[in-house]
Structures are given as structure tokens and as C-alpha cells.
């Protein structure tokens, strides 16, 4: 039987509510903004193959484990790790893993919010009909004008942080469920519509080849690291988002099935985004490696040309902001839950505190694109932050989670919590968790360091 502990923060109303919230966390800018642009920067097909393998052999087992740990501990990741380490008679400092997660969450949200601000501003750019009939160059200028203006970026970043913290302050459970049920399917429909546009107007087959033809000569350990880091990023793993959502999960829900559903939905959205964007990139002579502006420089071309494009475009950016919002909430929830547990702050106070810190760190990203933009070929603050969090901190978090659950927890505790028997599913999960996930992360880290030396 799972433990009898209950969470002081309450519980999801059902298993479905958890699936929706976790899907809301997983599906976000990572799928629609980041996946296409880093695929473009890293050469396409081979990168996508490594990313998909990482989802299957590292992401899914680690996600199941985060849910398991969260549900067993029933507290913020910091306190969950402290409790579980004590129960298993292990080194008391495992709660530092929770701390690393809290720091990762602050750092990621600080730039996530700036990019979500871009999407927010595009709701209004689209709504005012700015894209109608505009060519690739005009669309490119709209984007450059936005990011070169620090005041505007600051305003949108601030607005996004405020709306995020309002939801966090009210508690993640109220409202989130209904909104996700309605808006996620709508986002999926719009993406399918965009793929349809790409099929009829874009260089669709070139896009497909770019995404799926795996030219292994394009792989380097650096590229593998980025693909692996993105598998963590897109599934919200390695920092406690999924762990804290797991701590609100009812005791009778199956962890294996829910995880598959979430990973499937997340991957589907990313692939659809790729299929919508690359045909437009090629049809308009744009550069797949254009960087973080890629979707903002491509999709508006489609919206400017298709019938009803102003409406669809506006709706698309509204839904993108919404997807970013449900992800942002989960990035800060581990820190907020800890403040409430250990310092008896109200959720409103905890959320405001976290919001102000994140907002301040976000200034570094705001200025990365204008006042402090680096010389050609140099890395910006934003690039460094993204590299540090996605490619180092999250995989390191995942590695430690795999070691803790795979090697330091008793099989009885794992069995009790997973409640999936001793069948092939359990054995496969346990094997991937003990051997494949940690060794893969370690091997990639060591090879990248070897290359850099
Ligand atoms: N997965 C989200 C996305 O793809 C972002 C996100 C939410 C995240 N929570 C996270 C990334 C935790 C890393 C860790 O947009």
C-alpha cells in the first residue's frame, strides 16, 4: 500500500486532473518555440532521433519516478527528499536535490517569462492585422523591432509574471483543470490547421525530410547533450515540477499509464509544431538556424496569407501564452510549496516573494536581446542561462533522482508506491532507471567534457 501521508496543500480532484495539470506543465514554449528552433540550429533529423530516444529511455522512467517520489513524500520536493532519505536510512543531505530544483526553477522561469512576453505581445500584433499580406522581410522586422526595445520587453515580461503569480497565489488546483481541458485540445486543433497550411502552401516534403532524415554525421556530443537536455526540459523533469504535482496525486492512480499519456501528448505537440514551421521556413527562403526568433518569424507569414488568418493567428498566440502559463506555474510551485511548509507564509506571500526574485533575474534576459546583446558569435546571458539549466542542471537532477530511487530506496517502497506488480512493465522501468538513465546522462556529460578539454 502507498503511504498514508496527506499533503497540507490538498489533492487533485481525480487522476484526470493530475494528467491535465502535468500535461499543462509539459506542453509549453518548450514544444512550440524551443523544439523547432533548436532542431533548426542542430541540423534536423539526427537531433530529433536522439531527442525521441531520450524521451523513451530516460524521460519516461524518470517522470514515473518523480511522480512516485512526490506521492510518497507528499510535500514540496525539498521536504519530500528529506523525509524519504530519512525513511530509507540514507544520507540526510538528499534534500539538497530539492534545493537545486528550486534554483533551476527560478532560473528557467526568469527567461521563460520573457519569451512568454513575446508571445503575449504577438496576440496584439496579430489582432491588429499587422501580419496581413506581410512578406518574410516585413515579418522579420516586426520581430526585430520588438526584441530591440528593452522597455517593451520589460513591460510584457512584467505582465506575464503578474498573471502567473496570481494563479499560483490562488493555489494551482482551482481553475487549472477546466482551463486545460478546454484550451489544450484547441491548441492541438490550431496546430493541425497550421500543418494543413504548410502542406498546401509550404515546402512540406522538405520540412518532413529536414525533421526526420537522420544524417548521423551531424551528431556531435554537444548536439546529443542538447537533445538530452531538451527531453528533460520538454517533460518538465529534473527540478521538481512533476514531483510536486505528484505530491497532490490521489493514492489509487496508476503512475505508469498517466506518464505515458503525458509524454505522448507532449511529443505530439512538438512534432506538429515542427511540421508546421519548417515547410514555411523553406518556402520563404528563411534560415532553419535563425535561433530563438524562429516561430515569430515564420508562423506570422502563414497567418498573414491564410483566409481568417488574423483570427487564427490571434487565437494561436492566445493559446501559446496559455500553454506557457500552465508551464510557468509548475516551475515555481516547488519553491512556493516549500515557503508555505517551512515558513508558514500564505500562498499569496510566497508567490509574491518568488515572483519578485524571478522577475529580477529575468532582467538579464530582457537586456540580452538589446542593451547587452553580445557581439556576433558570442553567447548572451540568455543563452548561458538556458544552457546551464536545460543541459546541465536538469540532467544532473534526473541523474540524482535515478540514483536515489533506483539504488537507495528499498524495492518494497518502490513496489508499494507504483503498485504495478512484478510484471514486465515494472522490470523494464526498474532496469531503465537503475542502469540506462544514469549511465546515459553520465556518458553524455563525460563525452562533452572530453570534447571541450
Ligand atoms: N516543459 C515546459 C515546456 O516545455 C517548461 C517547464 C515547466 C519545465 N516546468 C519545467 C522545464 C520544469 C524544465 C523543468 O515549455
Amino acid at each position: 500500500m502507498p503511504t498514508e501521508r496527506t499533503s497540507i496543500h490538498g489533492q487533485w480532484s481525480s487522476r484526470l486532473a493530475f494528467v491535465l495539470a502535468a500535461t499543462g506543465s509539459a506542453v509549453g514554449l518548450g514544444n512550440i518555440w524551443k523544439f523547432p528552433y533548436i532542431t533548426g540550429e542542430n541540423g534536423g533529423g539526427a537531433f530529433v532521433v536522439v531527442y525521441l530516444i531520450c524521451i523513451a529511455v530516460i524521460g519516461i522512467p524518470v517522470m514515473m519516478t518523480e511522480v512516485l517520489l512526490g506521492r510518497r513524500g507528499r510535500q514540496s520536493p525539498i521536504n519530500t527528499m528529506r523525509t524519504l532519505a530519512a525513511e530509507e536510512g540514507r544520507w540526510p543531505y538528499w534534500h539538497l536535490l530539492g534545493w537545486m530544483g528550486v534554483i533551476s526553477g527560478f532560473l528557467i522561469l526568469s527567461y521563460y517569462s520573457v519569451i512568454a512576453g513575446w508571445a503575449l505581445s504577438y496576440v496584439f500584433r496579430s489582432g491588429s492585422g499587422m501580419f496581413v499580406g506581410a512578406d518574410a522581410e516585413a515579418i522579420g522586422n516586426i520581430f526585430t523591432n520588438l526584441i530591440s526595445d528593452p522597455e517593451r520587453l520589460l513591460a510584457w515580461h512584467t505582465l506575464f509574471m503578474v498573471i502567473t503569480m496570481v494563479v499560483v497565489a490562488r493555489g494551482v488546483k482551482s481553475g487549472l483543470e477546466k482551463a486545460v481541458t478546454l484550451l489544450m485540445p484547441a491548441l492541438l486543433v490550431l496546430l493541425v490547421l497550421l500543418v494543413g497550411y504548410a502542406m498546401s502552401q509550404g515546402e512540406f516534403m522538405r520540412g518532413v525530410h529536414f525533421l526526420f532524415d537522420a544524417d548521423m554525421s551531424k551528431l556531435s556530443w554537444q548536439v546529443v547533450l542538447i537533445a538530452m537536455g531538451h527531453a528533460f526540459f520538454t517533460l518538465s523533469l529534473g527540478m521538481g515540477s512533476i514531483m510536486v504535482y505528484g505530491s497532490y496525486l490521489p493514492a489509487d492512480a496508476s503512475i505508469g499509464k498517466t506518464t505515458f499519456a503525458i509524454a505522448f501528448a507532449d511529443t505530439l505537440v512538438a512534432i506538429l509544431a515542427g511540421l508546421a514551421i519548417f515547410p514555411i521556413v523553406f518556402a520563404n527562403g528563411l534560415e532553419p538556424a535563425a535561433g530563438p526568433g524562429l516561430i515569430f518569424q515564420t508562423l506570422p507569414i502563414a497567418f498573414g496569407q491564410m483566409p481568417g488568418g488574423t483570427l487564427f493567428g490571434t487565437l494561436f498566440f492566445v493559446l501559446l501564452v496559455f500553454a506557457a502559463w500552465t508551464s510557468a506555474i509548475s516551475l515555481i510551485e516547488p519553491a512556493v510549496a516549500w515557503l508555505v511548509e517551512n515558513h508558514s507564509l500564505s500562498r499569496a506571500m510566497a508567490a509574491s516573494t518568488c515572483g519578485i526574485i524571478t522577475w529580477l533575474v529575468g532582467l538579464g534576459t530582457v537586456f540580452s536581446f538589446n542593451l547587452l546583446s553580445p557581439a556576433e558569435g558570442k553567447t548572451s546571458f540568455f543563452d548561458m542561462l538556458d544552457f546551464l539549466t536545460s543541459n546541465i542542471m536538469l540532467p544532473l537532477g534526473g541523474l540524482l533522482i535515478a540514483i536515489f530511487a533506483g539504488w537507495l530506496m528499498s524495492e518494497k517502497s518502490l513496489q508499494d508506491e507504483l503498485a504495478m506488480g512484478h510484471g514486465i512493465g515494472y522490470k523494464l522501468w526498474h532496469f531503465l532507471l537503475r542502469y540506462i538513465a544514469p549511465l546515459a546522462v553520465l556518458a553524455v556529460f563525460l563525452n562533452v567534457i572530453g570534447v571541450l578539454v
Side-chain angles (χ1 to χ4, degrees):
M1 269 303 287
T3 57
E4 300 289 318
R5 252 191 299 272
T6 51
S7 166
I8 63 163
H9 311 281
Q11 235 184 50
W12 303 111
S13 60
S14 64
R15 186 185 97 169
L16 182 66
F18 165 76
V19 173
L20 290 170
T23 309
S25 165
V27 175
L29 294 173
N31 308 63
I32 294 171
W33 159 75
K34 192 174 180 190
F35 172 72
Y37 104 73
I38 61 177
T39 298
E41 283 184 340
N42 290 288
F47 173 86
V48 175
V49 169
V50 178
Y51 154 77
L52 291 174
I53 294 174
C54 289
I55 295 278
V57 304
I58 307 176
I60 291 177
V62 169
M63 186 184 259
M64 286 174 64
T65 310
E66 274 203 37
V67 181
L68 178 163
L69 294 175
R71 189 169 67 179
R72 201 165 179 77
R74 291 264 184 239
Q75 298 154 75
S76 65
I78 295 174
N79 290 328
T80 282
M81 289 310 299
R82 193 194 309 276
T83 304
L84 295 185
E87 273 178 8
E88 303 288 331
R90 299 297 173 184
W91 192 59
Y93 291 101
W94 274 98
H95 71 279
L96 293 176
L97 175 58
W99 275 107
M100 182 172 80
V102 164
I103 296 169
S104 307
F106 277 115
L107 296 180
I108 296 175
L109 184 56
S110 80
Y111 71 78
Y112 204 86
S113 163
V114 176
I115 312 293
W118 298 359
L120 203 48
S121 83
Y122 267 58
V123 170
F124 300 92
R125 282 172 173 62
S126 179
S128 66
M130 243 187 189
F131 305 148
V132 178
D135 59 9
E137 202 192 327
I139 297 286
N141 288 337
I142 294 175
F143 179 71
T144 317
N145 286 341
L146 171 69
I147 65 164
S148 52
D149 183 344
E151 273 173 35
R152 273 199 239 166
L153 292 194
L154 193 58
W156 293 115
H157 164 54
T158 308
L159 182 59
F160 185 80
M161 278 311 299
V162 169
I163 61 174
T164 301
M165 291 310 144
V166 167
V167 181
V168 176
R170 294 181 48 201
V172 293
K173 286 169 293 297
S174 50
L176 198 62
E177 289 174 33
K178 272 189 222 89
V180 177
T181 337
L182 211 77
L183 297 174
M184 279 291 160
L187 181 65
L188 211 62
V189 170
L190 268 185
L191 276 174
V192 170
L193 185 88
L194 277 168
V195 175
Y197 172 87
M199 276 181 176
S200 66
Q201 304 292 321
E203 298 247 9
F204 191 67
M205 285 323 287
R206 262 186 84 187
V208 171
H209 285 302
F210 182 77
L211 267 181
F212 297 114
D213 285 358
D215 172 1
M216 291 302 165
S217 70
K218 295 212 170 109
L219 280 188
S220 63
W221 282 108
Q222 184 80 12
V223 170
V224 173
L225 176 70
I226 297 172
M228 180 178 82
H230 189 62
F232 281 94
F233 187 95
T234 193
L235 292 177
S236 303
L237 299 178
M239 55 89 28
S241 275
I242 295 294
M243 201 186 289
V244 79
Y245 278 10
S247 75
Y248 311 144
L249 182 66
D252 55 356
S254 151
I255 293 180
K257 280 189 209 131
T258 45
T259 298
F260 269 100
I262 298 160
F264 177 79
D266 186 77
T267 309
L268 181 69
V269 172
I271 299 291
L272 284 176
L275 285 176
I277 287 158
F278 287 108
I280 304 174
V281 169
F282 294 121
N284 290 281
L286 297 166
E287 189 49 58
L294 188 66
I295 69 159
F296 298 95
Q297 291 162 325
T298 50
L299 294 181
I301 303 177
F303 293 128
Q305 291 174 359
M306 66 170 68
T310 297
L311 177 68
F312 287 134
T314 312
L315 199 57
F316 174 83
F317 286 109
V318 168
L319 294 173
L320 182 60
V321 169
F322 176 77
W325 194 19
T326 55
S327 301
I329 292 166
S330 75
L331 277 162
I332 210 67
E333 180 66 15
V336 170
W338 180 79
L339 281 174
V340 171
E341 286 164 12
N342 285 40
H343 295 276
S344 336
L345 290 190
S346 65
R347 282 197 66 95
M349 272 305 290
S352 320
T353 311
C354 294
I356 291 169
I357 299 173
T358 316
W359 180 84
L360 280 173
V361 185
L363 298 183
T365 297
V366 164
F367 299 135
S368 283
F369 298 99
N370 36 67
L371 302 179
L372 301 178
S373 80
E376 202 44 46
K378 290 265 176 9
T379 33
S380 65
F381 178 77
F382 157 72
D383 291 319
M384 277 188 307
L385 208 54
D386 179 37
F387 188 87
L388 173 71
T389 50
S390 309
N391 303 335
I392 299 174
M393 294 173 82
L394 298 181
L396 185 61
L399 172 69
L400 294 173
I401 286 167
I403 291 176
F404 182 80
W407 294 92
L408 303 178
M409 276 175 83
S410 74
E411 274 217 60
K412 179 168 180 312
S413 311
L414 300 177
Q415 288 276 356
D416 281 354
E417 205 57 48
L418 276 184
M420 60 195 277
H422 290 76
I424 175 83
Y426 175 81
K427 291 209 174 81
L428 183 62
W429 166 75
H430 203 220
F431 175 75
L432 291 173
L433 187 72
R434 275 169 82 92
Y435 299 101
I436 303 301
L439 288 176
V441 173
L442 212 59
V444 176
F445 274 174
L446 292 178
N447 273 294
V448 171
I449 296 168
V451 168
L452 291 179
V453 161

